[in-house]
Amino acid sequence: MVNRRKRLRKEELEKAFNLHSGIKRKQHQKETMDRIKEVSTIHLLVATLIATVTFAAGFTLPGGYNTDGPHKGMATLIRRSAFIAFVVSNSVAMIFSTFAVFIHFWSNFIIKDDNQDVIKQFILTTIRCTFFAIIAMMVAFVTGTYAVLSHSRGLAIFLCVLNCSFFPLCVYIFRKMRKRVIYGLKNLNSPCQCDYG
């Protein structure tokens, strides 16, 4: 009789512990989904801003348009290699940022909240797309600046070097933050809180 009571008491404690663990797990999953949605919203905002800027830059070309003659309406700098590099890099930035927005848009329809592995893959893909879009946008800015200021070589080269300082800084920050971001995404299911700061 005493053994049976102990066994029943032990079973009750285990049930209570499992119930408590289940509640904790559900709370953690809700907190995790809230963090994922917050990060996703920020990435969507950045990708949308890049898409907007690159779209506008595609139509307000550096150097403007020819207003008369046989090439009326064509870009004035169309034969310069810096201008061609601008157009290509601007298009690459537009493609990557639009793809990131597209992934965000469709992920809301096809992913259920409980499928965190798929959500993490979508977030990693959008991070990569947004990162490449930022790099391409900076290349477009540097080449566009050089195309417009090429008649003043000293100023053009100085501004290109100054603007290119973005890349080593970006690599430095990427190396510092990469492990934290990937660690944070890998451990979204674990109960520990990750510090991104």
Side-chain angles (χ1 to χ4, degrees):
M1 187 82 155
V2 174
N3 286 338
R4 185 174 181 203
R5 282 185 189 171
K6 285 183 181 180
R7 189 175 59 230
L8 287 174
R9 180 73 177 147
K10 185 177 180 182
E11 288 175 4
E12 288 174 4
L13 288 173
E14 285 177 2
K15 284 181 184 178
F17 178 75
N18 289 337
L19 179 65
H20 180 70
S21 296
I23 291 171
K24 284 284 194 185
R25 191 176 309 116
K26 286 181 182 180
Q27 286 175 343
H28 177 69
Q29 285 177 345
K30 184 184 179 317
E31 291 171 3
T32 299
M33 289 310 298
D34 290 344
R35 282 196 332 224
I36 287 173
K37 288 176 182 177
E38 183 180 317
V39 168
S40 181
T41 302
I42 292 169
H43 288 165
L44 177 61
L45 175 66
V46 171
T48 304
L49 286 173
I50 294 170
T52 303
V53 168
T54 56
F55 182 83
F59 291 104
T60 56
L61 298 173
Y65 297 96
N66 288 323
T67 56
D68 57 352
H71 300 292
K72 185 176 182 179
M74 298 298 290
T76 56
L77 303 175
I78 199 163
R79 296 202 182 346
R80 294 194 180 167
S81 58
F83 179 79
I84 294 169
F86 163 79
V87 172
V88 169
S89 58
N90 190 58
S91 297
V92 168
M94 180 70 178
I95 289 167
F96 276 115
S97 61
T98 305
F99 187 64
V101 171
F102 177 77
I103 290 171
H104 279 287
F105 177 74
W106 279 108
S107 67
N108 289 325
F109 293 110
I110 63 175
I111 298 176
K112 296 180 181 176
D113 281 351
D114 58 349
N115 197 347
Q116 292 182 3
D117 291 333
V118 175
I119 292 171
K120 285 188 245 179
Q121 288 303 316
F122 275 107
I123 288 176
L124 283 173
T125 302
T126 57
I127 287 172
R128 289 179 185 120
C129 287
T130 305
F131 179 75
F132 289 131
I134 291 170
I135 297 296
M137 185 176 62
M138 276 306 297
V139 170
F141 181 76
V142 169
T143 55
T145 302
Y146 186 82
V148 171
L149 297 175
S150 62
H151 63 278
S152 175
R153 292 250 188 231
L155 181 61
I157 291 172
F158 171 74
L159 288 176
C160 284
V161 169
L162 182 64
N163 290 329
C164 285
S165 66
F166 168 80
F167 296 108
L169 181 64
C170 190
V171 169
Y172 173 76
I173 290 172
F174 179 74
R175 284 187 174 176
K176 288 287 188 185
M177 296 301 294
R178 182 174 168 256
K179 290 179 183 176
R180 288 184 183 179
V181 169
I182 291 173
Y183 175 79
L185 285 174
K186 284 182 180 177
N187 292 306
L188 282 176
N189 291 330
S190 68
C192 69
Q193 299 292 324
C194 300
D195 180 24
Y196 293 102

